[in-house]
């Protein structure tokens, strides 16, 4: 059962993950490191989150990663990521990766049919244009339809038409829904895949994963003994801890960094 973590309160689960020999901190971005904003490309990590991730990344045997549904190109923009960064990235729900000292690579898997993305974007755009507050996000392996500026009634109608379109064109593509977003991808990977890849790449003995949305539960459900799942905000979760906001997530990261640093002295 998920329990709420209160800033400043000691917690056995947080202490356990702070003392694991090789730790990966893997964060969803939107709604976890950054507040949700109307324009998806305007999202940026809270300064206090960035500060604590920098503290953690500087500690021995401690590795930081963002795990997002964003395409790698867009993820690098919103995370203000450059080639000298020590932060690993898992984009497109675990189909794309960037590792320090290695660079970018796609996970092995089937390629998108030639011209399929472009055909879908072209077919979806007129639908999107008819609905106020609805936007289309082109992605490496598909697209996302955002409705953060739309009313619930408009969202329902727009999603219904997009669902019908994709069911007609690419019924085998993976469908995901989240906070005011509907996504379709030709790839089947989820954030559960990212947990496996990050664990193997860093030879992790423990992973702290935090996320706020339905797709993040893919990762929560595959966490192992010695890992820690943190749900940000409301909703059912397989995570152990819950915090209310990205600001509270920053406080949890601060507590983690402080305890891990003290244990390593």
């Amino acid at each position: 059962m998920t329990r709420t973590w209160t800033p400043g309160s000691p917690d056995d689960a947080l202490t356990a993950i702070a003392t694991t020999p090789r730790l990966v901190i893997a964060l969803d971005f939107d709604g976890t490191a950054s507040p949700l904003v109307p324009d998806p490309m305007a999202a940026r990590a809270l300064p206090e989150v960035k500060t604590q991730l920098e503290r953690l990344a500087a500690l021995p045997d401690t590795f930081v990663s963002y795990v997002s549904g964003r395409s790698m190109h867009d993820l690098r923009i919103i995370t203000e990521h450059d080639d000298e960064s020590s932060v690993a990235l898992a984009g497109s729900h675990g189909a794309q990766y960037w590792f320090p000292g290695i660079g970018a690579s796609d996970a092995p898997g089937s390629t998108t049919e030639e011209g399929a993305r472009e055909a879908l974007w072209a077919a979806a755009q007129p639908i999107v244009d008819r609905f106020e507050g609805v936007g289309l996000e082109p992605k490496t392996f598909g697209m996302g339809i955002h409705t953060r500026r739309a009313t619930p009634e408009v969202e329902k109608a727009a999603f219904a038409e997009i669902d019908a379109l994709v069911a007609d064109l690419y019924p085998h593509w993976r469908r995901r829904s989240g906070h005011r977003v509907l996504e379709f991808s030709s790839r089947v990977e989820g954030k559960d895949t990212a947990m496996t890849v990050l664990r193997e790449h860093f030879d992790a003995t423990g992973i702290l994963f935090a996320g706020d949305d339905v797709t993040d539960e893919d990762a929560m459900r595959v966490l192992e003994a010695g890992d820690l799942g943190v749900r940000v905000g409301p909703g059912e979760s397989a995570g152990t801890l819950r915090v209310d906001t990205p600001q509270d997530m920053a406080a949890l990261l601060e507590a983690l960094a402080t305890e891990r640093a003290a244990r390593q002295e």
Side-chain angles (χ1 to χ4, degrees):
M1 185 171 183
T2 308
R3 64 178 184 275
T4 299
W5 180 80
T6 303
S9 299
D11 189 278
D12 290 344
L14 195 60
T15 295
I17 199 69
T19 56
T20 195
R22 290 179 64 83
L23 172 62
V24 168
I25 300 98
L27 301 186
D28 170 52
F29 192 80
D30 298 280
T32 300
S34 165
L36 295 173
V37 295
D39 177 5
M41 289 308 298
R44 294 293 185 273
L46 290 173
E48 53 266 46
V49 169
K50 292 178 65 175
T51 295
Q52 299 310 319
L53 291 179
E54 288 170 0
R55 284 183 67 199
L56 285 159
L59 295 174
D61 298 316
T62 308
F63 311 95
V64 172
S65 175
Y66 285 119
V67 180
S68 174
R70 303 283 196 119
S71 296
M72 184 59 66
H73 174 270
D74 290 355
L75 183 58
R76 295 196 74 183
I77 291 174
I78 63 174
T79 60
E80 301 174 286
H81 192 269
D82 60 36
D83 289 343
E84 304 306 313
S85 178
S86 61
V87 177
L89 301 176
S92 297
H93 297 281
Q96 295 180 295
Y97 295 90
W98 188 98
F99 287 112
I102 296 175
S105 65
D106 290 347
S110 58
T111 58
T112 305
E113 304 97 306
E114 183 69 28
R117 298 177 313 161
E118 292 78 6
L120 181 58
W121 301 340
Q125 192 65 60
I127 296 174
V128 168
D129 289 343
R130 288 194 290 103
F131 291 99
E132 185 176 357
V134 178
L136 186 154
E137 177 191 359
K139 294 195 170 193
T140 303
F141 301 111
M143 69 177 185
I145 304 298
H146 292 273
T147 57
R148 293 177 191 170
R149 300 178 185 271
T151 65
E153 293 77 18
V154 167
E155 176 185 87
K156 182 178 179 180
F159 283 177
E161 289 201 30
I162 293 295
D163 269 327
L165 173 69
V166 180
D168 182 54
L169 293 178
Y170 306 117
H172 55 292
W173 282 24
R174 181 166 178 174
R175 180 189 190 275
R176 296 181 178 91
S177 60
H179 293 320
R180 314 304 303 275
V181 63
L182 179 63
E183 299 180 46
F184 296 91
S185 176
S186 63
R187 298 289 294 255
V188 300
E189 292 90 350
K191 293 183 180 181
D192 49 340
T193 303
M195 295 302 99
T196 299
V197 171
L198 291 172
R199 191 185 306 278
E200 293 178 353
H201 181 84
F202 291 112
D203 193 23
T205 57
I207 295 176
L208 185 152
F209 174 77
D212 74 309
D213 211 342
V214 176
T215 58
D216 298 311
E217 292 302 311
D218 291 342
M220 298 285 191
R221 285 188 288 268
V222 300
L223 294 179
E224 301 176 359
D227 297 337
L228 178 61
V230 181
R231 174 78 178 207
V232 181
E236 293 186 9
S237 179
T240 299
L241 300 181
R242 184 189 306 276
V243 296
D244 291 332
T245 65
Q247 287 81 2
D248 291 336
M249 188 67 225
L252 186 147
L253 292 172
E254 181 178 13
L256 173 67
T258 298
E259 186 155 4
R260 188 162 178 81
R263 298 285 180 141
Q264 292 182 337
E265 289 178 353

